[in-house]
């Protein structure tokens, strides 16, 4: 998008841009990653998703063939949507090349929640298997204020062939008055 100001007759600024932006999704919002191609390792991700790194640790989309071709000895063999059968797509964090201790965020597109909703449900599937799994945090960002709403420490599954776990959380958004205090 390009912008310019028109302040009056014969008083127009030059064009500025290009600027890019994403529009918000509404609720209910569902993402199963089935439209993602395997092998995506960085921005731009489909459908407004983004990641903060492209080198280990980094996020990668994977086809669930039952082998996990790109990450050995860690991560799932199957996608939760078709478990225990091959098929489907998931996104995982790859750290096989070593890590620097830095975090690597995988960020959803903006999701608009009308202010008339004080509480919303956040439901997701997760798979944390590996001897060196540190932690996974689920963070909600409300107008630039981040809040960790769930933390999983260490390996959660015992084998690569285990089922995914689902979590369902109720999130109560701070009132506009409470947001002004922070």
């Amino acid at each position: 998008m390009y912008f310019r100001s028109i302040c009056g007759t014969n008083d127009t600024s030059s064009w500025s841009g290009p600027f890019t932006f994403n529009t918000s999704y509404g609720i209910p919002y569902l993402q199963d990653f089935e439209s993602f191609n395997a092998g995506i390792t960085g921005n731009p991700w489909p459908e407004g998703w983004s990641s903060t790194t492209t080198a280990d640790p980094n996020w990668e989309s994977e086809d669930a063939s039952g082998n996990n071709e790109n990450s050995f000895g860690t991560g799932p063999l199957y996608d939760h949507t078709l478990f225990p059968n091959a098929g489907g797509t998931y996104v995982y964090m790859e750290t096989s090349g070593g890590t620097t201790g830095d975090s690597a965020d995988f960020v959803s597109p903006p999701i608009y929640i009308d202010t008339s909703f004080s509480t919303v449900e956040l439901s997701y599937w997760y798979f944390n298997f590996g001897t060196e799994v540190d932690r996974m945090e689920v963070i909600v960002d409300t107008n630039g204020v981040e809040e960790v709403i769930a933390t999983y420490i260490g390996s959660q599954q015992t084998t690569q062939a285990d089922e995914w776990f689902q979590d369902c959380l109720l999130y109560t958004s701070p009132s506009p008055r409470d947001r002004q205090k922070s």
Side-chain angles (χ1 to χ4, degrees):
M1 178 171 287
Y2 290 85
F3 294 94
R4 72 176 177 178
S5 296
I6 301 175
C7 300
T9 305
N10 297 323
D11 187 12
T12 303
S13 70
S14 58
W15 288 100
S16 295
F19 297 100
T20 60
F21 65 95
N22 292 322
T23 57
S24 294
Y25 288 80
I27 57 173
Y29 175 75
L30 171 68
Q31 178 59 260
D32 61 8
F33 305 113
E34 297 307 314
S35 64
F36 287 34
N37 291 326
I40 301 170
T41 58
N43 297 321
W45 285 84
E47 301 177 27
W49 285 78
S50 64
S51 60
T52 57
T53 65
T54 56
D56 284 345
N58 70 292
W59 292 90
E60 184 171 334
S61 56
E62 175 74 278
D63 59 335
S65 66
N67 292 321
N68 193 335
E69 306 96 350
N70 298 316
S71 186
F72 304 101
T74 185
L77 299 180
Y78 305 101
D79 181 41
H80 83 90
T81 56
L82 298 173
F83 186 88
N85 301 306
T89 304
Y90 60 88
V91 175
Y92 73 99
M93 179 185 281
E94 176 57 59
T95 62
S96 295
T99 65
T100 61
D102 295 332
S103 66
D105 299 332
F106 191 57
V107 182
S108 77
I111 301 169
Y112 173 74
I113 301 172
D114 190 283
T115 55
S116 65
F117 294 106
S118 62
T119 302
V120 293
E121 178 181 282
L122 175 62
S123 178
Y124 53 92
W125 295 84
Y126 64 98
F127 193 101
N128 297 352
F129 173 73
T131 58
E132 296 186 28
V133 172
D134 181 27
R135 75 181 179 282
M136 179 182 88
E137 295 178 334
V138 179
I139 301 170
V140 172
D141 182 321
T142 305
N143 300 321
V145 177
E146 292 184 350
E147 180 181 350
V148 176
I149 62 170
T151 301
Y152 305 92
I153 306 292
S155 190
Q156 303 294 302
Q157 281 78 2
T158 57
T159 73
Q160 285 186 278
D162 286 351
E163 292 186 57
W164 290 64
F165 294 144
Q166 182 180 25
D167 207 346
C168 184
L169 306 169
L170 294 178
Y171 176 72
T172 302
S173 177
S175 71
R177 183 179 53 185
D178 292 338
R179 279 184 281 220
Q180 292 172 354
K181 292 178 185 176
S182 57

